[in-house]
C-alpha cells in the first residue's frame, strides 16, 4: 500500500504506558529515499528535545484513529541520549541513540573518499558547491547557515523539503507538496503542484525521475519538460492519486 508523508505527520505516538506526543516532522535519507526517523513533538513532557524514532520500532499502526504504538515505555524514551531542539542530528548522535536502544545501524562505514577526504558520488548532497562556498572568502552567506546544509549524514527533514521549487529540463514546473511511501517506508513518488493558485492539481512522479537536488537553494530537478508537464494527468486530491496508483 501507499501512504502520504503529509498524513503521517498527523499521527499520534503511543508508548506502552501512555501517549507520548505527535509526529511533527520526519527525516528522509536522500541517498536511498527511505524514511529513517519520525520526530515526535512531546509537548511539555520533554521540552527542548528532539525525540527520534525509527519506523522499525513501530509495533502497531492504526490509520482509523491516526496513531502508532512503539515498543518502549516513556521512561526509556526520557532517559535516551538527548538531541536538543534547533540542532542537526549528527552521526555521533545517531551512534549514541543506536547504542542505547540496541538498534541496527542503517549505514556503512565504507564510504569512498577522494584525496581530500570528501565523499564521492553522494546523490543530492551538493558537496562540491558547499566546499567552493566555504573556501571562498568573499562569499557573504552566514557560515552557520552553510554548515547547517552540510551534514555528515544524508538525512533531510520533511519540513525542509516541502515547497522546494521543482524544475524541468527547460523551465519551472511548480513546487514540491508531498511524498508517497510504501509499507517498507521507502519513498516511491514525489508530488508536485503547479504554480496555478486557482486550481488543486497534483502530479505524482516516480522518485527515479529526480535528476538532482540543490538542498542549499531549495531546488529539485526532474527529467521532464515544461511541455510534458502541461500535458501530464493531474489529480484533484490525495485520494485520487492513491486510486490511480493502486
Amino acid at each position: 500500500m501507499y501512504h502520504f508523508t503529509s498524513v503521517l505527520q498527523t499521527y499520534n505516538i503511543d508508548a506502552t504506558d501512555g501517549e507520548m506526543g505527535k509526529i511533527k516532522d520526519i527525516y528522509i535519507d536522500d541517498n536511498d529515499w527511505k524514511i529513517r526517523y519520525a520526530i515526535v513533538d512531546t509537548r511539555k513532557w520533554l521540552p527542548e528535545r528532539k525525540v527520534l524514532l525509527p519506523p522499525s520500532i513501530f509495533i502497531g499502526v492504526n490509520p482509523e484513529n491516526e496513531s502508532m504504538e512503539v515498543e518502549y515505555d516513556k521512561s526509556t524514551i526520557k532517559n535516551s541520549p538527548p538531541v536538543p531542539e534547533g540542532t542537526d542530528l549528527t552521526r555521533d548522535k545517531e551512534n549514541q541513540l543506536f547504542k542505547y536502544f540496541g538498534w541496527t545501524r542503517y549505514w556503512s562505514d565504507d564510504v569512498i573518499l577522494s584525496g581530500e577526504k570528501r565523499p564521492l558520488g553522494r546523490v543530492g548532497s551538493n558537496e562540491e558547491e558547499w566546499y567552493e562556498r566555504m573556501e571562498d572568502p568573499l562569499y557573504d552567506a552566514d557560515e552557520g547557515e552553510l554548515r547547517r546544509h552540510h551534514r555528515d549524514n544524508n538525512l533531510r527533514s520533511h519540513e525542509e523539503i516541502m515547497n522546494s521549487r521543482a524544475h524541468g529540463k527547460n523551465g519551472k514546473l511548480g513546487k514540491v507538496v508531498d511524498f508517497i511511501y510504501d509499507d517498507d517506508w521507502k519513498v516511491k513518488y514525489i508530488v508536485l503542484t503547479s504554480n496555478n493558485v486557482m486550481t488543486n492539481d497534483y502530479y505524482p512522479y516516480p522518485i527515479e525521475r529526480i535528476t538532482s537536488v540543490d538542498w542549499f537553494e531549495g531546488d529539485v530537478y526532474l527529467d521532464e519538460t515544461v511541455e510534458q508537464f502541461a500535458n501530464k494527468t493531474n489529480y484533484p486530491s490525495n485520494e485520487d492519486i492513491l486510486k490511480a496508483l493502486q
Side-chain angles (χ1 to χ4, degrees):
M1 292 181 64
Y2 290 128
H3 319 272
F4 284 89
T5 52
S6 59
V7 175
L8 178 63
Q9 291 184 264
T10 66
Y11 275 51
N12 292 308
I13 301 295
D14 295 325
T16 57
D17 56 350
E19 184 178 329
M20 186 188 308
K22 187 174 184 177
I23 297 177
K24 67 174 181 178
D25 202 354
I26 57 178
Y27 274 144
I28 297 173
D29 188 332
D30 71 1
N31 187 51
D32 56 8
W33 294 100
K34 290 204 74 171
I35 296 174
R36 296 299 182 189
Y37 299 100
I39 305 174
V40 184
D41 178 7
T42 56
R43 304 181 179 92
K44 295 181 180 180
W45 176 53
L46 287 178
E48 300 181 359
R49 274 183 61 175
K50 285 182 183 178
V51 173
L52 298 109
L53 304 174
S56 60
I57 70 167
F58 296 141
I59 57 177
V61 180
N62 190 331
E64 286 73 24
N65 63 5
E66 296 184 341
S67 66
M68 292 184 177
E69 183 180 349
V70 297
E71 59 188 14
Y72 302 111
D73 59 25
K74 296 169 77 172
S75 177
T76 300
I77 299 295
K78 183 177 181 179
N79 294 324
S80 65
V83 180
E85 284 283 6
T87 64
D88 284 330
L89 178 63
T90 64
R91 187 51 52 84
D92 285 342
K93 285 293 185 183
E94 283 190 277
N95 274 316
Q96 292 175 27
L97 289 169
F98 276 57
K99 183 178 180 179
Y100 174 82
F101 287 106
W103 299 336
T104 301
R105 295 191 308 176
Y106 62 85
W107 67 87
S108 172
D109 289 328
D110 57 350
V111 179
I112 301 175
L113 300 178
S114 69
E116 295 79 20
K117 304 298 183 183
R118 302 177 187 175
L120 292 175
R122 182 176 287 176
V123 178
S125 62
N126 212 16
E127 294 284 339
E128 293 302 321
E129 180 179 354
W130 185 85
Y131 277 101
E132 288 174 4
R133 294 181 178 184
M134 286 300 296
E135 293 168 358
D136 184 356
L138 300 179
Y139 191 69
D140 60 0
D142 177 71
E143 181 175 319
E145 179 66 17
L146 286 171
R147 293 191 182 280
R148 279 192 289 274
H149 288 270
H150 177 77
R151 307 178 173 108
D152 59 358
N153 55 39
N154 286 77
L155 300 179
R156 303 286 174 175
S157 79
H158 188 267
E159 182 180 336
E160 174 185 9
I161 301 171
M162 288 303 99
N163 294 315
S164 294
R165 295 176 294 272
H167 304 269
K169 293 186 288 188
N170 60 341
K172 296 179 181 179
L173 303 179
K175 64 180 180 180
V176 180
V177 292
D178 219 329
F179 285 108
I180 299 171
Y181 66 99
D182 62 16
D183 289 337
D184 294 322
W185 301 91
K186 186 171 180 64
V187 176
K188 306 296 288 187
Y189 294 89
I190 185 173
V191 182
L192 310 183
T193 186
S194 72
N195 291 317
N196 186 352
V197 298
M198 303 299 294
T199 61
N200 290 324
D201 53 347
Y202 301 103
Y203 303 80
Y205 281 90
I207 209 72
E208 292 80 13
R209 297 289 299 276
I210 297 176
T211 57
S212 65
V213 180
D214 185 334
W215 296 113
F216 187 83
E217 297 292 347
D219 293 296
V220 178
Y221 297 86
L222 285 85
D223 181 19
E224 182 82 319
T225 66
V226 172
E227 293 75 22
Q228 289 171 328
F229 182 73
N231 293 318
K232 183 178 175 62
T233 300
N234 65 79
Y235 302 90
S237 69
N238 289 355
E239 291 75 17
D240 292 301
I241 292 177
L242 291 180
K243 288 179 182 178
L245 295 180
Q246 302 293 6

